[in-house]
Amino acid sequence: MLFRSIGDLGQAAYDFIDFLEETGQSLWQVLPLGPTGYGDSPYQCFSAFAGNPLLINLDALVADGLLTQAELDAAPQFPVERVDYGPVIECKTALLRQAHANFMSHASEDVRREYLTFIGQTAWWLEDYVLYRAIKDARGGQAWTKWEEHLRDREDNAMHFFRENHEHEISYQRFIQYLFFKQWLQVAAYAAAHGVKIIGDVPIFVAHDSADVWSNRNLFHLDEAGNPTKVAGVPPDYFSETGQLWGNPLYRWDVMKEDGYRWWISRVRATLAQVDLVRLDHFRGFEKYWAVPATETTAVKGVWEEGPGADLFQAIQHALAQTSTTTGKLTPPRTGNGLPIIAEDLGFITPEVHALREAFDFPGMRVLQFAFGTDPQADEFKPYSFTPNTVVYTGTHDNDTTVGWFHSAGAGASTRSNDEVDDERQFVLKYLDSDGREIHWDFIRLALASVANTAIIPLQDVLGLGNEARMNVPARESGNWGWRYQAEQLTPEIRARLAELTEIYGRNRGRLKKTVVVEGVPEAES
């Protein structure tokens, strides 16, 4: 039995691309691909540039002579329905370390040459990241602010001494990044060859415990010990009396502006070397963001502060239009002179935010699950309010599945009464002229029939799954990001129905755009 613990970049990913091509899809949206940190969340990564080693396919390492089949066969069995992260990380890390040992002892000259090329191309971010991870692991996983001061503060002598005494661990961290990017770029090339573009995801903020903040402290609001002085969140609103306190350190936009937003340009450029388009998370925060003193325990006492606005996007646009051979990209970005960005403009959006998005012709997002409540903004999410330059979703990774949303007691909003939920459900049925038995297909049809240029459907909705398949519950500290799908769930009937609807509404490949979202990377049949 082949080692299967979590979706990866092996045959299942290629099979999923074949499914997209077969059913006429042209886009595949994935979650952030970085190394996950707190809560196994792809939105709390140890780096905005590195890849997640948990996604490395181990079968390919057997084919490359870096592991033996016996080493894989000795691994324990894991659940096929959900990812059990603790044991998975322990087991997969052990196998990756064995692959590294085998690489060091008997890798072929071709593999060594490819590896050296990779570390040369990516040194501009890789060396800070691998040093950060090596120190973090040597300190039992402690956040960088808990390290000894000379390491925390990146003193030259301390950095040199640590490198000399931990070269094997640093080499291992480089090696697994090489494996990830080698496999991911092969998947991306296969997608491109089969007419499927990939949408990546760029969270606006980065985790405090990350190589990004540790190696660029001057770009964030931190005190002398490296702790945030003010953090990100959103203010109190209809859904929360105390707002949401995210805790990410805030950028010093004034400092970033001084060097022409170099860090952000590098981040976007690196992402576009891996994917074709970017979903820019929390677009609201680029116009104004909610800044909360780090001493607060809720988001109530924050204030709105000015973001970089158009100045940032003009700098990115100018940089991407330039020809450069010094960026460290593994492949040229598959873009033109414009910015291939989708703006996540959900929540309370001001006219100024709309104006910023429209100035760069970024499509905004509309979520059908938000269209039927009593909130005054609900009408904005009904298809009759859409403009063509829109990306419509039945739901996102933060929503319940459509089936789960429709049948749950709270229908996705705990602040409402049962009567309000029942009224919403009845309105949904009237609006759709439906009996609700196939509510997921009703929503898919509604999205595809809309005027929105792009329609994105979570894979859970294509499969008609309930809230057992929900990917993320915002503010829940554990139990998220664990759902897995098996290849046999994409039955011939589902494939045929999706292909038919795609054709009926003119969204087959080569015409209007349409995609199926998969939250992460699909899992193969065990």
Side-chain angles (χ1 to χ4, degrees):
M1 179 177 180
L2 295 181
F3 178 82
R4 291 283 180 263
S5 61
I6 185 173
D8 61 34
L9 301 175
Q11 187 58 46
Y14 295 87
D15 292 343
F16 188 77
I17 293 168
D18 291 341
F19 156 72
L20 295 176
E21 182 181 31
E22 172 192 336
T23 55
Q25 316 312 308
S26 61
L27 297 172
W28 175 19
Q29 180 171 324
V30 298
L31 291 169
L33 297 168
T36 50
Y38 179 74
D40 306 304
S41 171
Y43 293 91
Q44 291 290 335
C45 289
F46 292 132
S47 170
F49 298 89
N52 188 349
L54 293 180
L55 298 179
I56 294 170
N57 175 255
L58 300 180
D59 299 326
L61 305 191
V62 174
D64 290 342
L66 297 173
L67 285 175
T68 68
Q69 190 61 55
E71 287 167 336
L72 283 195
D73 291 343
Q77 297 186 24
F78 289 89
V80 297
E81 297 85 9
R82 296 192 66 81
V83 180
D84 189 4
Y85 277 101
V88 165
I89 292 170
E90 181 179 355
C91 186
K92 196 155 191 177
T93 298
L95 286 165
L96 290 173
R97 288 189 179 278
Q98 182 60 51
H100 175 243
N102 295 338
F103 167 79
M104 296 295 288
S105 64
H106 60 260
S108 70
E109 286 302 314
D110 286 344
V111 171
R112 290 183 185 276
R113 189 179 304 110
E114 188 177 62
Y115 166 76
L116 291 173
T117 298
F118 166 78
I119 63 176
Q121 290 178 329
T122 58
W124 59 277
W125 65 262
L126 182 66
E127 292 310 301
D128 279 330
Y129 172 71
V130 298
L131 186 57
Y132 160 85
R133 285 305 304 267
I135 299 173
K136 185 176 182 64
D137 288 351
R139 298 298 179 267
Q142 286 184 328
W144 64 268
T145 50
K146 304 297 183 183
W147 302 345
E148 301 95 314
E149 287 187 17
H150 53 273
L151 292 174
R152 180 197 72 188
D153 296 340
R154 296 171 55 89
E155 295 177 7
D156 289 343
N157 289 339
M159 296 294 96
H160 178 73
F161 183 80
F162 188 91
R163 287 189 185 95
E164 282 194 337
N165 287 275
H166 295 83
E167 179 52 38
H168 184 79
E169 178 64 20
I170 292 171
S171 172
Y172 165 71
Q173 294 293 341
R174 291 190 190 106
F175 174 72
I176 58 177
Q177 288 303 305
Y178 154 71
L179 293 179
F180 170 85
F181 281 100
K182 176 182 178 179
Q183 292 189 6
W184 172 253
L185 292 175
Q186 288 171 344
V187 169
Y190 186 85
H194 289 260
V196 175
K197 292 185 177 181
I198 299 174
I199 304 174
D201 200 320
V202 171
I204 181 175
F205 299 117
V206 296
H208 175 240
D209 187 15
S210 66
D212 308 299
V213 180
W214 175 66
S215 60
N216 297 281
R217 285 171 60 172
N218 64 311
L219 301 181
F220 299 87
H221 285 281
L222 308 174
D223 62 20
E224 291 185 359
N227 297 304
T229 56
K230 50 185 177 180
V231 296
V234 290
D237 58 16
Y238 175 78
F239 298 101
S240 172
E241 294 180 353
T242 59
Q244 295 181 40
L245 187 64
W246 296 337
N248 306 78
L250 293 172
Y251 300 109
R252 293 186 60 188
W253 288 114
D254 57 334
V255 175
M256 288 188 160
K257 183 175 182 177
E258 289 175 0
D259 69 1
Y261 305 100
R262 184 174 59 182
W263 184 88
W264 262 98
I265 289 169
S266 296
R267 187 184 188 191
V268 173
R269 181 181 275 134
T271 303
L272 288 173
Q274 303 168 37
V275 301
D276 300 282
L277 301 97
V278 166
R279 189 195 82 114
L280 199 54
D281 191 45
H282 195 57
F283 185 77
R284 167 85 174 87
F286 292 101
E287 196 276 321
K288 285 188 179 68
Y289 56 90
W290 190 245
V292 184
T295 54
E296 294 295 316
T297 57
T298 74
V300 171
K301 294 184 179 180
V303 295
W304 288 111
E305 295 189 355
E306 294 288 334
D311 197 38
L312 170 65
F313 297 109
Q314 287 169 351
I316 295 173
Q317 189 173 49
H318 176 75
L320 292 184
Q322 306 303 306
T323 301
S324 175
T325 60
T326 61
T327 60
K329 299 189 299 296
L330 298 178
T331 59
R334 289 161 282 175
T335 64
N337 289 332
L339 294 179
I341 287 174
I342 296 169
E344 188 274 286
D345 57 346
L346 305 177
F348 179 72
I349 303 301
T350 64
E352 291 80 7
V353 178
H354 284 303
L356 178 62
R357 179 180 58 77
E358 291 169 1
F360 292 89
D361 202 31
F362 297 154
M365 288 175 53
R366 293 294 178 265
V367 179
L368 292 180
Q369 286 186 24
F370 298 158
F372 303 101
T374 57
D375 186 281
Q377 285 189 300
D379 280 356
E380 296 180 12
F381 294 89
K382 292 183 177 66
Y384 59 67
S385 298
F386 294 172
T387 62
N389 193 31
T390 295
V391 183
V392 57
Y393 292 72
T394 55
T396 73
H397 60 269
D398 285 333
N399 293 94
D400 202 343
T401 68
T402 293
V403 170
W405 168 83
F406 183 75
H407 291 291
S408 66
S414 60
T415 60
R416 294 177 298 160
S417 68
N418 288 336
D419 287 342
E420 288 175 318
V421 172
D422 288 340
D423 288 345
E424 180 182 38
R425 187 174 291 120
Q426 292 305 311
F427 180 45
V428 168
L429 296 178
K430 290 178 181 178
Y431 190 96
L432 298 173
D433 191 22
S434 168
D435 59 12
R437 288 183 295 180
E438 290 189 317
I439 193 67
H440 58 297
W441 284 114
D442 293 333
F443 267 53
I444 292 171
R445 183 183 291 272
L446 185 62
L448 301 187
S450 75
V451 299
N453 284 343
T454 305
I456 297 184
I457 316 299
L459 187 59
Q460 293 95 322
D461 285 355
V462 175
L463 299 176
L465 300 177
N467 53 25
E468 76 283 352
R470 182 169 183 171
M471 184 58 75
N472 181 51
V473 179
R476 188 174 71 180
E477 293 186 357
S478 62
N480 295 320
W481 316 108
W483 175 75
R484 302 169 71 188
Y485 105 92
Q486 289 79 55
E488 65 269 17
Q489 291 179 285
L490 286 173
T491 64
E493 293 76 16
I494 288 176
R495 292 168 182 260
R497 191 164 186 179
L498 180 62
E500 180 182 50
L501 287 176
T502 303
E503 175 68 27
I504 287 172
Y505 293 107
R507 293 183 178 270
N508 51 311
R509 294 187 311 120
R511 300 176 70 182
L512 288 180
K513 293 178 287 185
K514 153 72 174 71
T515 186
V516 176
V517 175
V518 58
E519 305 293 6
V521 179
E523 175 56 82
E525 183 176 6
S526 296

